[in-house]
Coordinates of all heavy atoms in Angstrom, one line a residue:
M1 N 84.6 84.7 88.8 CA 83.9 85.4 89.8 C 84.8 86.0 90.8 O 85.5 85.4 91.3 CB 82.8 84.6 90.4 CG 81.9 85.3 91.3 SD 80.6 84.0 91.9 CE 79.5 85.2 92.7
M2 N 84.5 87.3 91.1 CA 85.4 87.9 92.2 C 84.9 87.5 93.6 O 83.7 87.4 93.8 CB 85.2 89.5 92.0 CG 86.0 90.2 92.9 SD 85.8 92.1 92.9 CE 85.2 92.4 91.3
P3 N 85.8 87.2 94.5 CA 85.4 86.8 95.8 C 84.8 88.0 96.6 O 85.0 89.1 96.1 CB 86.7 86.4 96.5 CG 87.8 87.0 95.6 CD 87.2 87.3 94.2
S4 N 84.1 87.7 97.6 CA 83.4 88.8 98.3 C 83.8 88.7 99.8 O 83.9 87.6 100.3 CB 81.9 88.7 98.2 OG 81.5 89.0 96.9
I5 N 84.0 89.8 100.5 CA 84.2 89.8 101.9 C 83.0 90.7 102.6 O 82.8 91.8 102.1 CB 85.5 90.4 102.3 CG1 86.6 89.5 101.8 CG2 85.7 90.6 103.7 CD1 88.0 90.0 101.9
F6 N 82.4 90.2 103.6 CA 81.3 90.9 104.2 C 81.8 91.5 105.5 O 82.5 90.8 106.4 CB 80.3 89.8 104.6 CG 79.2 90.3 105.6 CD1 78.2 91.2 105.1 CD2 79.2 90.0 106.9 CE1 77.2 91.6 105.9 CE2 78.3 90.4 107.8 CZ 77.3 91.3 107.2
F7 N 81.7 92.9 105.7 CA 82.0 93.6 106.9 C 80.7 94.0 107.5 O 79.8 94.5 106.8 CB 82.8 94.8 106.6 CG 84.2 94.5 106.1 CD1 84.4 94.6 104.8 CD2 85.2 94.1 107.0 CE1 85.7 94.4 104.3 CE2 86.5 93.9 106.5 CZ 86.7 94.1 105.2
S8 N 80.7 93.9 108.8 CA 79.5 94.6 109.5 C 80.1 95.2 110.8 O 81.0 94.8 111.3 CB 78.4 93.5 109.8 OG 78.9 92.6 110.6
F9 N 79.5 96.3 111.0 CA 80.2 97.2 112.0 C 79.2 97.6 113.1 O 78.0 97.8 112.9 CB 80.7 98.5 111.4 CG 81.6 98.2 110.3 CD1 81.3 98.0 109.0 CD2 83.0 98.1 110.6 CE1 82.2 97.6 108.0 CE2 84.0 97.8 109.7 CZ 83.5 97.6 108.4
S10 N 79.7 97.8 114.4 CA 78.9 98.1 115.6 C 79.5 99.2 116.3 O 80.1 99.2 117.3 CB 78.9 96.8 116.5 OG 78.3 95.8 115.8
P11 N 79.0 100.4 115.9 CA 79.3 101.6 116.7 C 78.6 101.6 118.0 O 77.6 101.0 118.2 CB 79.0 102.8 115.8 CG 77.9 102.2 115.0 CD 78.1 100.7 114.8
V12 N 79.1 102.5 118.9 CA 78.5 102.7 120.2 C 77.0 103.3 120.1 O 76.2 102.8 120.7 CB 79.4 103.5 121.2 CG1 78.7 103.6 122.5 CG2 80.7 102.7 121.4
I13 N 76.9 104.3 119.3 CA 75.7 105.1 119.3 C 75.2 105.1 117.8 O 75.8 105.6 116.9 CB 75.9 106.5 119.8 CG1 76.4 106.6 121.1 CG2 74.6 107.3 119.6 CD1 76.8 108.0 121.6
S14 N 73.9 104.4 117.6 CA 73.5 104.5 116.4 C 72.1 103.9 116.3 O 71.7 103.0 117.1 CB 74.3 103.6 115.4 OG 73.7 103.5 114.1
S15 N 71.2 104.5 115.6 CA 69.9 103.9 115.4 C 69.8 103.0 114.2 O 69.0 102.1 114.2 CB 68.8 105.1 115.1 OG 69.2 105.8 113.9
T16 N 70.8 103.1 113.4 CA 71.1 102.1 112.2 C 72.5 101.6 112.4 O 73.4 102.3 111.7 CB 70.7 102.8 110.9 OG1 69.5 103.4 110.9 CG2 70.8 101.7 109.8
P17 N 72.8 100.7 113.2 CA 74.2 100.3 113.5 C 74.9 99.7 112.1 O 74.3 99.1 111.5 CB 74.2 99.3 114.6 CG 72.8 98.8 114.5 CD 71.9 99.8 114.0
L18 N 76.2 100.0 112.1 CA 77.1 99.3 111.1 C 77.6 98.1 111.9 O 77.7 98.1 113.0 CB 78.3 100.2 110.8 CG 77.9 101.5 110.1 CD1 79.2 102.3 110.0 CD2 77.6 101.2 108.7
S19 N 77.9 97.0 111.1 CA 78.4 95.8 111.8 C 79.5 95.1 111.0 O 79.4 95.2 109.8 CB 77.2 94.9 112.2 OG 76.5 94.5 111.1
Y20 N 80.5 94.5 111.7 CA 81.5 93.8 111.1 C 81.5 92.4 111.6 O 81.4 92.1 112.7 CB 82.9 94.4 111.5 CG 84.1 93.7 111.1 CD1 84.4 93.5 109.7 CD2 85.0 93.0 112.0 CE1 85.5 92.9 109.3 CE2 86.0 92.4 111.7 CZ 86.3 92.2 110.3 OH 87.4 91.5 109.9
G21 N 81.5 91.4 110.5 CA 81.1 90.0 111.0 C 82.3 89.1 110.8 O 82.0 88.0 111.1
D22 N 83.4 89.4 110.4 CA 84.5 88.5 110.3 C 85.7 88.7 111.2 O 86.0 89.9 111.7 CB 85.0 88.6 108.8 CG 84.0 88.1 108.0 OD1 83.3 87.2 108.2 OD2 83.9 88.7 106.8
E23 N 86.4 87.7 111.7 CA 87.5 87.8 112.5 C 88.8 87.8 111.7 O 88.8 87.3 110.7 CB 87.7 86.5 113.4 CG 86.5 86.4 114.5 CD 86.6 87.5 115.5 OE1 87.7 87.9 115.9 OE2 85.5 88.2 115.8
P24 N 89.8 88.5 112.2 CA 91.1 88.5 111.4 C 91.6 87.1 111.1 O 91.4 86.1 111.8 CB 92.1 89.2 112.3 CG 91.2 90.1 113.3 CD 89.9 89.3 113.4
G25 N 92.1 86.9 109.9 CA 92.6 85.7 109.5 C 91.6 84.9 108.6 O 91.9 84.1 107.8
S26 N 90.2 85.4 108.5 CA 89.3 84.8 107.7 C 89.1 85.4 106.2 O 88.5 84.8 105.4 CB 88.0 84.7 108.3 OG 87.4 86.0 108.5
D27 N 89.7 86.5 106.1 CA 89.6 87.3 104.9 C 91.0 87.5 104.2 O 91.9 88.1 104.7 CB 89.0 88.7 105.1 CG 87.5 88.4 105.6 OD1 86.9 87.5 105.2 OD2 87.1 89.1 106.5
E28 N 91.0 87.0 103.0 CA 92.3 87.0 102.3 C 92.0 87.4 100.8 O 91.0 87.1 100.3 CB 93.1 85.7 102.4 CG 93.5 85.3 103.8 CD 94.2 84.0 103.8 OE1 93.9 83.1 103.1 OE2 95.0 83.9 104.8
V29 N 93.1 88.0 100.1 CA 93.0 88.4 98.7 C 94.2 88.0 98.0 O 95.3 88.2 98.6 CB 92.5 89.9 98.6 CG1 93.5 90.8 99.3 CG2 92.2 90.2 97.1
D30 N 94.1 87.7 96.8 CA 95.3 87.4 95.9 C 96.0 88.7 95.7 O 95.5 89.8 95.7 CB 94.9 86.7 94.6 CG 94.5 85.3 94.8 OD1 95.1 84.6 95.7 OD2 93.6 84.8 94.1
V31 N 97.4 88.6 95.3 CA 98.2 89.7 94.9 C 98.7 89.4 93.6 O 99.4 88.5 93.4 CB 99.3 90.0 96.0 CG1 100.2 91.1 95.4 CG2 98.8 90.2 97.3
P32 N 98.4 90.3 92.6 CA 97.5 91.3 92.6 C 96.1 90.8 92.5 O 95.8 89.6 91.9 CB 97.7 92.2 91.3 CG 98.5 91.2 90.3 CD 99.1 90.2 91.3
G33 N 95.0 91.6 92.9 CA 93.7 90.9 92.8 C 92.7 92.0 93.3 O 93.0 93.1 93.7
T34 N 91.5 91.5 93.4 CA 90.4 92.4 93.9 C 89.5 91.5 94.7 O 89.4 90.3 94.6 CB 89.6 93.0 92.7 OG1 89.0 92.0 92.0 CG2 90.5 93.9 91.8
V35 N 88.7 92.1 95.6 CA 87.7 91.5 96.4 C 86.6 92.5 96.7 O 86.9 93.8 96.9 CB 88.3 90.9 97.7 CG1 88.9 92.0 98.6 CG2 87.3 89.9 98.4
D36 N 85.4 92.0 96.6 CA 84.3 92.9 97.1 C 84.2 93.1 98.5 O 84.4 92.0 99.3 CB 82.9 92.3 96.5 CG 82.8 92.5 95.0 OD1 83.4 93.3 94.5 OD2 82.1 91.6 94.4
I37 N 84.0 94.2 99.0 CA 83.9 94.4 100.5 C 82.5 95.2 100.7 O 82.0 96.0 99.9 CB 85.0 95.2 101.1 CG1 85.3 96.5 100.4 CG2 86.3 94.3 101.1 CD1 86.4 97.3 101.0
S38 N 81.8 94.9 101.9 CA 80.6 95.6 102.1 C 80.4 95.8 103.7 O 81.0 95.1 104.5 CB 79.5 94.9 101.5 OG 79.3 93.5 102.1
V39 N 79.5 96.7 103.9 CA 79.1 97.0 105.4 C 77.6 96.8 105.3 O 76.9 96.9 104.5 CB 79.5 98.4 105.8 CG1 81.0 98.6 105.9 CG2 78.8 99.5 104.9
V40 N 77.1 96.6 106.6 CA 75.6 96.5 106.8 C 75.2 97.6 107.9 O 75.9 97.7 108.9 CB 75.3 95.0 107.5 CG1 73.9 95.0 107.8 CG2 75.7 94.0 106.5
G41 N 74.2 98.3 107.5 CA 73.8 99.3 108.5 C 74.4 100.6 108.1 O 75.1 100.7 107.2
G42 N 74.2 101.6 109.0 CA 74.8 102.9 108.9 C 74.1 103.7 107.9 O 73.0 103.3 107.4
V43 N 74.5 105.0 107.8 CA 73.8 106.0 107.0 C 74.7 106.5 105.8 O 75.8 106.9 106.1 CB 73.4 107.2 107.8 CG1 72.7 108.3 107.0 CG2 72.5 106.8 109.0
P44 N 74.3 106.3 104.6 CA 75.1 106.7 103.4 C 75.3 108.2 103.4 O 74.4 108.9 103.9 CB 74.4 106.1 102.2 CG 73.1 105.6 102.6 CD 73.0 105.7 104.2
P45 N 76.2 108.8 102.8 CA 77.4 108.0 102.0 C 78.4 107.4 103.1 O 78.4 107.9 104.2 CB 78.0 109.1 101.2 CG 77.8 110.4 101.9 CD 76.5 110.2 102.7
F46 N 79.2 106.5 102.5 CA 80.2 105.9 103.3 C 81.6 106.3 102.8 O 81.7 106.2 101.6 CB 80.1 104.3 103.2 CG 78.8 103.8 103.7 CD1 77.7 103.5 102.8 CD2 78.5 103.5 105.1 CE1 76.5 103.1 103.2 CE2 77.4 103.1 105.5 CZ 76.3 102.9 104.6
D47 N 82.5 106.6 103.7 CA 83.9 107.0 103.4 C 84.7 105.9 103.7 O 84.7 105.2 104.8 CB 84.4 108.3 104.2 CG 83.7 109.5 103.7 OD1 83.3 109.6 102.5 OD2 83.5 110.3 104.6
W48 N 85.5 105.3 102.7 CA 86.4 104.1 102.9 C 87.8 104.6 102.8 O 88.2 105.3 101.9 CB 86.2 103.2 101.6 CG 84.7 102.9 101.5 CD1 83.7 103.6 100.9 CD2 84.1 101.6 101.8 NE1 82.5 102.9 100.9 CE2 82.7 101.6 101.5 CE3 84.6 100.4 102.3 CZ2 81.9 100.6 101.6 CZ3 83.8 99.3 102.5 CH2 82.4 99.4 102.1
E49 N 88.6 104.2 103.9 CA 90.0 104.6 103.9 C 91.0 103.3 104.1 O 90.7 102.5 104.9 CB 90.2 105.4 105.1 CG 91.5 106.0 105.2 CD 91.7 106.9 106.5 OE1 90.9 106.9 107.4 OE2 92.8 107.6 106.5
V50 N 91.9 103.3 103.3 CA 93.0 102.3 103.3 C 94.4 103.1 103.3 O 94.5 103.9 102.4 CB 92.9 101.3 102.1 CG1 94.0 100.4 102.1 CG2 91.6 100.6 102.1
V51 N 95.2 102.8 104.3 CA 96.4 103.5 104.3 C 97.7 102.7 104.2 O 98.8 103.1 104.5 CB 96.5 104.4 105.5 CG1 95.5 105.5 105.5 CG2 96.4 103.6 106.8
T52 N 97.5 101.5 103.7 CA 98.7 100.5 103.6 C 99.1 100.5 102.2 O 98.4 100.4 101.3 CB 98.2 99.1 104.1 OG1 97.7 99.2 105.4 CG2 99.5 98.2 104.1
T53 N 100.5 100.5 102.0 CA 101.0 100.4 100.6 C 100.6 99.2 99.9 O 100.6 98.1 100.5 CB 102.6 100.4 100.7 OG1 103.0 101.6 101.5 CG2 103.3 100.4 99.4
G54 N 100.2 99.4 98.7 CA 99.8 98.3 97.8 C 98.4 98.0 97.8 O 97.9 97.1 97.0
Y55 N 97.6 98.6 98.6 CA 96.2 98.5 98.7 C 95.4 99.7 98.4 O 95.9 100.9 98.8 CB 95.7 98.0 100.1 CG 96.2 96.7 100.6 CD1 97.4 96.5 101.2 CD2 95.3 95.6 100.3 CE1 97.8 95.3 101.7 CE2 95.7 94.3 100.8 CZ 97.0 94.2 101.5 OH 97.3 92.9 101.9
R56 N 94.2 99.6 97.8 CA 93.4 100.9 97.6 C 92.0 100.3 97.4 O 91.8 99.2 97.1 CB 93.9 101.7 96.5 CG 93.7 101.0 95.1 CD 94.2 102.0 94.0 NE 93.9 101.4 92.6 CZ 92.9 101.4 91.9 NH1 91.8 102.0 92.4 NH2 92.7 100.8 90.7
V57 N 91.0 101.2 97.7 CA 89.6 101.1 97.3 C 89.3 101.6 96.0 O 89.9 102.7 95.7 CB 88.6 101.5 98.5 CG1 88.8 100.7 99.7 CG2 88.8 102.9 98.7
D58 N 88.3 101.0 95.3 CA 87.9 101.5 94.1 C 87.4 102.9 94.1 O 87.7 103.8 93.2 CB 86.9 100.6 93.4 CG 86.6 100.9 91.9 OD1 87.5 101.3 91.2 OD2 85.4 100.7 91.6
E59 N 86.5 103.1 95.1 CA 85.9 104.5 95.4 C 86.0 105.0 96.8 O 85.7 104.2 97.7 CB 84.3 104.4 95.0 CG 84.0 104.1 93.6 CD 84.4 105.1 92.6 OE1 84.5 106.4 93.0 OE2 84.8 104.9 91.5
P60 N 86.8 106.1 97.1 CA 86.9 106.6 98.4 C 85.6 106.9 99.1 O 85.4 106.9 100.3 CB 87.8 107.8 98.3 CG 87.7 108.2 96.9 CD 87.3 107.1 96.0
R61 N 84.5 107.2 98.3 CA 83.2 107.5 99.0 C 82.1 106.8 98.1 O 82.1 106.9 96.9 CB 82.9 109.1 98.9 CG 81.5 109.3 99.6 CD 81.3 110.8 99.8 NE 81.8 111.1 101.1 CZ 81.6 112.2 101.7 NH1 80.9 113.2 101.2 NH2 82.1 112.4 102.9
T62 N 81.1 106.1 98.7 CA 80.1 105.5 98.0 C 78.8 105.8 98.6 O 78.7 106.0 99.9 CB 80.2 103.9 98.0 OG1 80.2 103.4 99.4 CG2 81.6 103.5 97.3
D63 N 77.7 105.8 97.8 CA 76.3 105.9 98.4 C 75.9 104.6 98.8 O 75.0 104.4 99.7 CB 75.4 106.5 97.4 CG 75.7 108.0 97.2 OD1 75.9 108.7 98.3 OD2 75.5 108.5 96.1
A64 N 76.4 103.5 98.1 CA 76.1 102.0 98.4 C 76.9 101.5 99.4 O 78.1 102.0 99.5 CB 76.2 101.3 97.1
P65 N 76.5 100.5 100.2 CA 77.4 100.0 101.3 C 78.5 99.0 100.7 O 78.8 98.0 101.4 CB 76.4 99.4 102.2 CG 75.2 98.9 101.3 CD 75.2 99.9 100.3
T66 N 78.9 99.1 99.5 CA 79.8 98.1 98.9 C 80.9 98.9 98.2 O 80.7 100.1 97.8 CB 79.0 97.2 97.9 OG1 78.5 98.1 96.8 CG2 78.0 96.4 98.4
N67 N 82.0 98.2 98.1 CA 83.2 98.8 97.4 C 84.1 97.6 97.0 O 83.8 96.4 97.2 CB 84.0 99.7 98.4 CG 84.7 100.8 97.6 OD1 85.1 100.7 96.6 ND2 85.0 101.9 98.4
T68 N 85.2 98.0 96.3 CA 86.0 97.0 95.8 C 87.5 97.3 96.4 O 87.9 98.4 96.2 CB 86.1 96.9 94.3 OG1 84.9 96.4 93.7 CG2 87.1 95.8 93.8
L69 N 88.1 96.3 97.0 CA 89.4 96.4 97.6 C 90.4 95.9 96.5 O 90.1 94.8 95.9 CB 89.7 95.7 98.9 CG 91.1 95.7 99.3 CD1 91.4 97.1 100.0 CD2 91.2 94.7 100.5
I70 N 91.4 96.7 96.1 CA 92.3 96.3 95.0 C 93.7 96.2 95.7 O 94.1 97.1 96.3 CB 92.3 97.4 93.9 CG1 90.8 97.5 93.4 CG2 93.2 97.1 92.9 CD1 90.7 98.8 92.5
T71 N 94.3 95.0 95.3 CA 95.7 94.8 95.7 C 96.7 94.9 94.5 O 96.3 94.4 93.4 CB 96.0 93.4 96.4 OG1 95.6 92.4 95.5 CG2 95.1 93.3 97.6
Q72 N 97.7 95.6 94.7 CA 98.6 95.8 93.6 C 99.9 94.9 94.1 O 100.0 94.4 95.1 CB 99.0 97.2 93.5 CG 97.7 98.0 93.2 CD 97.9 99.6 93.5 OE1 98.5 100.0 94.5 NE2 97.2 100.4 92.8
S73 N 100.8 94.8 93.1 CA 102.0 94.0 93.4 C 102.8 94.3 94.7 O 103.5 93.5 95.2 CB 102.9 94.0 92.2 OG 103.4 95.3 91.9
A74 N 102.7 95.6 95.0 CA 103.4 96.0 96.3 C 102.7 95.6 97.6 O 103.4 95.8 98.8 CB 103.7 97.6 96.3
A75 N 101.5 95.0 97.5 CA 100.8 94.7 98.8 C 101.4 93.6 99.5 O 101.8 92.6 98.8 CB 99.4 94.3 98.2
C76 N 101.5 93.7 100.7 CA 102.0 92.6 101.7 C 101.4 92.8 103.0 O 101.1 93.9 103.4 CB 103.6 92.6 101.7 SG 104.3 94.0 102.5
G77 N 101.3 91.7 103.7 CA 100.7 91.8 105.0 C 99.2 92.1 105.0 O 98.5 91.9 104.0
A78 N 98.8 92.6 106.1 CA 97.4 92.9 106.2 C 97.0 94.4 106.1 O 97.9 95.2 106.3 CB 96.9 92.5 107.7
V79 N 95.8 94.6 105.7 CA 95.4 96.1 105.5 C 94.2 96.2 106.4 O 93.4 95.3 106.5 CB 95.0 96.4 104.1 CG1 93.9 95.5 103.6 CG2 94.6 97.8 103.9
V80 N 94.1 97.4 107.0 CA 92.9 97.7 107.8 C 92.2 98.7 107.0 O 92.7 99.7 106.6 CB 93.4 98.4 109.2 CG1 92.1 98.9 109.9 CG2 94.1 97.4 110.0
I81 N 90.9 98.4 106.8 CA 89.9 99.2 106.1 C 89.1 99.9 107.1 O 88.4 99.3 108.0 CB 89.0 98.4 105.1 CG1 89.9 97.7 104.2 CG2 88.1 99.3 104.4 CD1 89.2 96.4 103.6
T82 N 89.1 101.2 107.1 CA 88.2 102.1 107.9 C 87.1 102.6 107.2 O 87.2 103.2 106.1 CB 89.1 103.3 108.6 OG1 90.2 102.7 109.4 CG2 88.2 104.0 109.6
I83 N 85.9 102.4 107.7 CA 84.6 102.9 107.0 C 83.8 103.8 108.0 O 83.7 103.5 109.1 CB 83.8 101.7 106.6 CG1 84.6 100.8 105.7 CG2 82.5 102.2 105.8 CD1 83.9 99.5 105.5
T84 N 83.6 105.0 107.5 CA 82.8 106.0 108.2 C 81.5 106.3 107.6 O 81.5 106.6 106.3 CB 83.7 107.3 108.5 OG1 85.0 106.9 108.9 CG2 83.0 108.2 109.3
D85 N 80.4 106.3 108.3 CA 79.2 106.7 107.7 C 79.0 108.2 107.8 O 79.7 109.0 108.4 CB 77.9 105.8 108.2 CG 77.6 106.1 109.6 OD1 78.1 107.1 110.2 OD2 76.6 105.5 110.0
A86 N 77.7 108.7 107.2 CA 77.4 110.1 107.2 C 77.2 110.6 108.6 O 77.4 111.8 108.8 CB 76.1 110.2 106.4
C87 N 76.9 109.9 109.6 CA 76.7 110.3 111.0 C 78.1 110.3 111.8 O 78.2 110.6 113.0 CB 75.7 109.4 111.8 SG 74.1 109.5 111.0
G88 N 79.2 109.9 111.1 CA 80.4 109.9 111.7 C 80.8 108.7 112.5 O 81.9 108.5 113.1
Q89 N 79.9 107.7 112.3 CA 80.2 106.4 113.1 C 81.3 105.6 112.3 O 81.2 105.6 111.0 CB 78.9 105.6 113.1 CG 77.9 106.3 113.9 CD 76.6 105.5 113.9 OE1 76.6 104.4 114.5 NE2 75.6 106.0 113.3
Q90 N 82.2 105.0 112.8 CA 83.3 104.5 112.3 C 83.6 103.1 112.7 O 83.3 102.7 113.9 CB 84.5 105.4 112.5 CG 85.7 105.1 111.6 CD 86.8 106.1 112.0 OE1 87.5 106.1 113.1 NE2 87.0 107.1 111.1
T91 N 84.1 102.2 111.8 CA 84.5 100.9 112.1 C 85.6 100.4 111.2 O 85.9 101.1 110.2 CB 83.3 100.0 112.2 OG1 83.7 98.6 112.8 CG2 82.9 99.6 110.7
T92 N 86.2 99.3 111.7 CA 87.3 98.8 110.7 C 87.2 97.3 110.5 O 86.5 96.6 111.3 CB 88.7 99.0 111.5 OG1 88.7 98.3 112.7 CG2 89.0 100.5 111.6
G93 N 87.8 96.9 109.4 CA 87.8 95.4 109.2 C 89.3 95.2 108.5 O 89.9 96.1 108.1
S94 N 89.7 93.9 108.5 CA 91.1 93.6 108.1 C 91.0 92.5 106.9 O 90.1 91.7 107.0 CB 91.9 93.0 109.2 OG 92.1 93.9 110.2
V95 N 91.9 92.7 106.0 CA 92.1 91.6 104.9 C 93.6 91.5 104.8 O 94.4 92.4 104.9 CB 91.5 92.2 103.6 CG1 91.8 91.3 102.5 CG2 90.0 92.5 103.7
R96 N 94.0 90.2 104.6 CA 95.5 90.0 104.4 C 95.8 89.5 103.0 O 94.9 88.7 102.4 CB 95.9 88.8 105.3 CG 97.3 88.5 105.3 CD 97.7 87.5 106.4 NE 97.2 86.2 106.1 CZ 97.7 85.2 105.5 NH1 98.8 85.4 104.9 NH2 97.2 84.1 105.3
A97 N 96.8 89.9 102.4 CA 97.3 89.5 101.0 C 97.7 88.1 101.1 O 98.6 87.8 102.1 CB 98.4 90.3 100.6
L98 N 97.3 87.2 100.3 CA 97.6 85.8 100.4 C 99.2 85.5 100.1 O 99.7 86.2 99.3 CB 96.9 85.0 99.3 CG 95.5 84.6 99.6 CD1 94.8 84.0 98.4 CD2 95.5 83.5 100.8
G99 N 99.7 84.8 100.8 CA 101.1 84.3 100.7 C 102.2 85.4 101.0 O 103.3 85.2 100.7
T100 N 101.8 86.4 101.7 CA 102.7 87.5 102.0 C 103.1 87.6 103.5 O 104.1 88.1 103.8 CB 102.2 88.8 101.5 OG1 101.0 89.2 102.3 CG2 101.8 88.8 100.1
S101 N 102.3 87.1 104.4 CA 102.7 87.2 105.8 C 101.7 86.5 106.6 O 100.6 86.0 106.2 CB 102.7 88.7 106.2 OG 101.3 89.1 106.3
A102 N 102.0 86.4 108.0 CA 101.0 85.8 108.9 C 100.3 86.8 109.5 O 100.7 88.0 109.6 CB 101.8 85.0 110.0
W103 N 99.1 86.5 110.2 CA 98.3 87.4 110.9 C 99.1 87.8 112.2 O 99.6 86.9 112.8 CB 96.9 86.9 111.2 CG 95.9 87.0 110.1 CD1 95.6 86.1 109.3 CD2 95.3 88.2 109.7 NE1 94.7 86.6 108.3 CE2 94.5 87.9 108.7 CE3 95.3 89.5 110.3 CZ2 93.7 88.8 108.0 CZ3 94.4 90.4 109.6 CH2 93.7 90.1 108.5
V104 N 99.0 89.0 112.6 CA 99.5 89.5 113.9 C 98.2 90.2 114.5 O 97.7 91.1 114.0 CB 100.6 90.5 113.8 CG1 101.0 91.0 115.1 CG2 101.7 89.8 113.1
H105 N 97.8 89.8 115.8 CA 96.8 90.5 116.5 C 97.1 91.8 117.1 O 98.2 91.8 117.9 CB 96.1 89.5 117.5 CG 94.9 90.1 118.2 ND1 93.7 90.2 117.5 CD2 94.8 90.6 119.4 CE1 92.9 90.8 118.4 NE2 93.4 91.1 119.5
V106 N 96.5 92.9 116.8 CA 96.8 94.1 117.3 C 95.6 94.7 118.1 O 94.6 94.7 117.7 CB 97.1 95.2 116.2 CG1 97.4 96.5 116.9 CG2 98.3 94.7 115.3
C107 N 96.0 95.0 119.4 CA 94.8 95.4 120.3 C 94.8 96.9 120.4 O 95.8 97.6 120.2 CB 95.1 94.9 121.8 SG 95.0 93.1 121.9

């Protein structure tokens, strides 16, 4: 069974807010591997962006609030996933590749 990671996001202006429920350090994925990721709230479709080497999402745009994060052998460290809904509301969540690095808090 594939592990799952729950994201929820809270934009400033929204009648249907997105919410992110996990703190950095709580979400990890094997390398290579996959993990289900999801958002709560927002207006579909959702655009999913990952810009770190060795990580990608299965679908860059989804109508459903779910996607799959895929790690390849080049994945190391943490990846920031940016999700934007149809209203332009945006939020981020983080996942770290297991055994590749320690968390670093970025403000």
Side-chain angles (χ1 to χ4, degrees):
M1 180 177 193
M2 186 183 331
S4 295
I5 295 176
F6 168 77
F7 292 103
S8 57
F9 300 90
S10 299
V12 175
I13 302 171
S14 174
S15 59
T16 309
L18 295 168
S19 54
Y20 172 66
D22 294 319
E23 292 296 319
S26 63
D27 297 320
E28 297 178 326
V29 61
D30 288 324
V31 176
T34 60
V35 65
D36 290 331
I37 53 178
S38 61
V39 295
V40 174
V43 179
F46 300 96
D47 292 327
W48 304 76
E49 182 181 15
V50 175
V51 293
T52 305
T53 301
Y55 294 89
R56 68 180 181 86
V57 288
D58 189 40
E59 298 291 331
R61 176 172 277 191
T62 64
D63 289 324
T66 60
N67 210 333
T68 301
L69 178 68
I70 301 165
T71 60
Q72 300 158 328
S73 60
C76 64
V79 61
V80 174
I81 303 159
T82 302
I83 304 166
T84 307
D85 75 358
C87 295
Q89 298 176 70
Q90 192 175 77
T91 192
T92 60
S94 298
V95 177
R96 183 176 67 89
L98 278 174
T100 62
S101 68
W103 277 102
V104 176
H105 183 70
V106 179
C107 297

